[in-house]
Amino acid sequence: MILDCAVIGGGPAGLNAALVLGRSRRKTILFDDNKPRNSVTSESHGFITRDGIHPQEFKRIAQEELSRYPDVRIEKQRVHRINKVSPLFQVETENGEVYSAKKIILATGFKEVLPDIPRVKEFYGKSLFSCPFCDGWELRDRALAVIADDQKAFHMAKMVSNWTNDLIIFTNGSKVLSLEEQELLKSNGITINEKKIASFIGEEGMLEKIQFEDETEVLREGGFIAAEWKQAACFQSSLEYTLNEQGGIATDSWQRTNTEGVFACGDTRIAGPSQLIIAAGEGSMAAMSVNAALIEEKFKPEKKHV
Ligand SMILES: Cc1cc2nc3c(=O)[nH]c(=O)nc-3n(C[C@H](O)[C@H](O)[C@H](O)COP(=O)(O)OP(=O)(O)OC[C@H]3O[C@@H](n4cnc5c(N)ncnc54)[C@H](O)[C@@H]3O)c2cc1C
């Protein structure tokens, strides 16, 4: 059977794309190997009607809703390869199954690379986070840290100061703040610490102290850490879509990549804020775009041969 669309990735972006496609009566398959980056956390915030929900519960509800639509099928396996075999796409899974689809939606998310600081992974997602809009409210008014050793440092410190008056920025041995930035931070009550971090200290992911290489320590209860963002998708592919400056998949406002028939949505674009509701919105838009493209193909006037 030729599918209308194969959606790769079943986070909020892919799930919402599949919902809109199912409601549009499009034969859709959604592949997901369930390794989202927010698996380290137990609560997702900021999605109206779902504020505070466990990420896996969010997925469970979404999959249950999709089960109402007979044209949508979920395959809980990894996509290994995607090839264009004109005019279709061939999607091959890790189990060696091959599916043919008219359109592809890439919703594979991104991976973050945390700074190489001992024990950082124990705290990430529990008391250290990357996005204050996601977790700032839960950490409000506490003794917080911003940990950033690159150009994001100044911006992050300004942002996080919205949630607490007790903020220290740790640059982990780097000199990334200009004199002007240092003055601005200090005049807003933000302390700067440029020592090299030796380790994070605390129990069960709850930060208590930051320890430095010179063996001094600073008490902190949580905070925000700058991470590098990289494409999560690592399948082989003959698709030649362009990447943007951040390394994400470039799209227009209709989620179209520059490869005809290939759409991308959510974190995989590494553009703008990384949020469930934004990923879901982009998934919806990608599905409408797929639908529009299929309708245009159906109503295309046939070429007359003379
Ligand atoms: C610690 C932490 C806390 C967060 N808290 C919040 C919050 O409170 N509120 C909020 O709005 N956002 C939060 N986020 C951000 C949020 O998780 C992301 O913005 C959102 O999950 C992006 O959705 P997505 O569908 O684009 O990608 P993802 O949710 O990452 O989903 C991508 C899916 O695609 C699958 N996949 C990838 N490659 C393949 C393949 N080849 N084959 C099959 N499947 C594949 C992955 O396994 C994954 O399941 C948080 C993130 C982190 C790291």
Side-chain angles (χ1 to χ4, degrees):
M1 183 184 62
I2 295 173
L3 296 153
D4 289 313
C5 188
V7 180
I8 325 295
L15 288 162
N16 221 104
L19 176 64
V20 174
L21 287 166
R23 292 179 53 76
S24 311
R25 312 187 74 183
R26 298 294 179 190
K27 299 248 172 292
T28 301
I29 189 159
L30 178 141
F31 298 96
D32 186 43
D33 68 351
N34 198 21
K35 288 186 182 137
R37 57 185 275 266
N38 65 352
S39 59
V40 294
T41 192
S42 59
E43 288 185 14
S44 292
H45 307 105
F47 196 130
I48 197 81
T49 77
R50 294 282 177 267
D51 192 32
I53 193 168
H54 192 288
Q56 287 301 321
E57 176 62 2
F58 180 97
K59 266 187 132 154
R60 191 197 61 74
I61 296 171
Q63 289 174 4
E64 190 180 289
E65 287 177 355
L66 287 179
S67 69
R68 293 178 208 149
Y69 296 92
D71 291 320
V72 178
R73 178 168 143 205
I74 298 176
E75 273 293 326
K76 294 183 180 171
Q77 54 172 321
R78 189 162 186 82
V79 167
H80 176 65
R81 194 192 311 268
I82 307 177
N83 282 324
K84 174 105 186 171
V85 185
S86 213
L88 300 174
F89 296 93
Q90 274 191 350
V91 179
E92 190 181 316
T93 69
E94 58 189 351
N95 300 343
E97 293 160 26
V98 180
Y99 298 83
S100 294
K102 294 177 189 166
K103 308 287 173 207
I104 297 285
I105 293 181
L106 298 169
T108 42
F110 67 66
K111 275 194 178 141
E112 57 223 321
V113 184
L114 293 168
D116 188 16
I117 302 174
R119 298 188 63 190
V120 65
K121 285 189 182 157
E122 284 176 50
F123 298 91
Y124 190 60
K126 295 193 176 75
S127 56
L128 288 179
F129 300 90
S130 54
C131 158
F133 290 103
C134 298
D135 299 286
W137 172 259
E138 284 62 38
L139 295 181
R140 68 194 183 280
D141 296 329
R142 302 225 195 132
L144 297 188
V146 160
I147 300 138
D149 62 3
D150 60 14
Q151 298 312 315
K152 294 194 259 315
F154 182 57
H155 172 72
M156 277 182 80
K158 285 191 293 182
M159 290 284 288
V160 175
S161 72
N162 186 54
W163 282 272
T164 185
N165 290 325
D166 183 355
L167 181 60
I168 305 177
I169 174 157
F170 299 90
T171 64
N172 192 23
S174 298
K175 303 243 176 242
V176 283
L177 297 164
S178 68
L179 281 176
E180 191 188 359
E181 287 170 345
Q182 291 182 36
E183 284 312 314
L184 273 168
L185 292 173
K186 284 179 199 162
S187 64
N188 280 281
I190 300 168
T191 306
I192 300 162
N193 181 317
E194 293 181 328
K195 291 183 190 180
K196 186 91 179 145
I197 298 173
S199 185
F200 295 109
I201 310 288
E203 293 297 321
E204 293 178 3
M206 303 316 290
L207 186 68
E208 291 164 20
K209 307 183 228 187
I210 300 179
Q211 198 174 59
F212 302 94
E213 285 188 347
D214 66 3
E215 295 183 0
T216 58
E217 294 176 339
V218 172
L219 297 179
R220 290 290 96 182
E221 294 171 273
F224 295 88
I225 186 159
E228 228 184 291
W229 292 352
K230 294 211 161 131
Q231 274 301 323
C234 55
F235 44 74
Q236 298 165 20
S237 158
S238 63
L239 310 180
E240 288 176 344
Y241 43 75
T242 305
L243 300 182
N244 58 30
E245 276 178 17
Q246 296 76 34
I249 302 174
T251 67
D252 63 11
S253 59
W254 284 85
Q255 313 305 141
R256 292 178 290 210
T257 71
N258 63 343
T259 297
E260 205 179 335
V262 181
F263 302 75
C265 52
D267 276 5
T268 194
R269 298 191 324 109
I270 318 186
S274 163
Q275 291 263 292
L276 299 167
I277 200 155
I278 293 173
E282 288 186 7
S284 180
M285 180 61 98
M288 286 189 264
S289 254
V290 163
N291 214 27
L294 291 169
I295 288 167
E296 285 310 311
E297 283 165 23
K298 182 178 169 188
F299 285 92
K300 201 170 171 183
E302 279 181 33
K303 277 190 191 146
K304 290 205 174 90
H305 298 284
V306 280

